[in-house]
Amino acid sequence: QRQMCIRDSMESFWGRFKDTLRKHFRYWERDDLRSTIEQAIYYFNNERPVRKLKGKPPVPYEKAGRCDSHSEG
């Protein structure tokens, strides 16, 4: 059961990642693809808004949460 859930999550991630590559990035050769994937990973983590994270990208959301927890302590 747990393995199936993890597999479904990974399939969902790769589906969204491929959609992002197609919509936002262009590449023609293998070297371009490597650079494009690196750019897409940065975009996915630092720029792409995520509804579950109040519209913030994952990295800025996490940093904001850490700052909040330090200021409370």
Side-chain angles (χ1 to χ4, degrees):
Q1 177 90 8
R2 183 169 185 234
Q3 288 177 337
M4 182 188 269
C5 182
I6 291 170
R7 184 178 60 223
D8 290 347
S9 295
M10 289 304 297
E11 287 177 9
S12 175
F13 165 79
W14 285 115
R16 278 183 272 145
F17 189 75
K18 288 189 282 185
D19 287 345
T20 298
L21 281 177
R22 278 189 226 114
K23 289 179 184 176
H24 300 284
F25 299 94
R26 300 285 180 249
Y27 56 89
W28 289 268
E29 297 188 21
R30 192 161 86 174
D31 290 339
D32 294 337
L33 178 60
R34 180 183 188 98
S35 174
T36 298
I37 290 172
E38 290 171 354
Q39 291 171 20
I41 290 170
Y42 180 87
Y43 170 79
F44 230 73
N45 290 325
N46 295 282
E47 298 175 7
R48 181 184 62 97
V50 178
R51 190 177 312 151
K52 290 181 183 178
L53 303 179
K54 301 177 184 175
K56 293 183 180 180
V59 171
Y61 181 83
E62 184 177 311
K63 285 181 180 178
R66 287 185 178 165
C67 290
D68 292 344
S69 66
H70 288 301
S71 64
E72 292 174 8

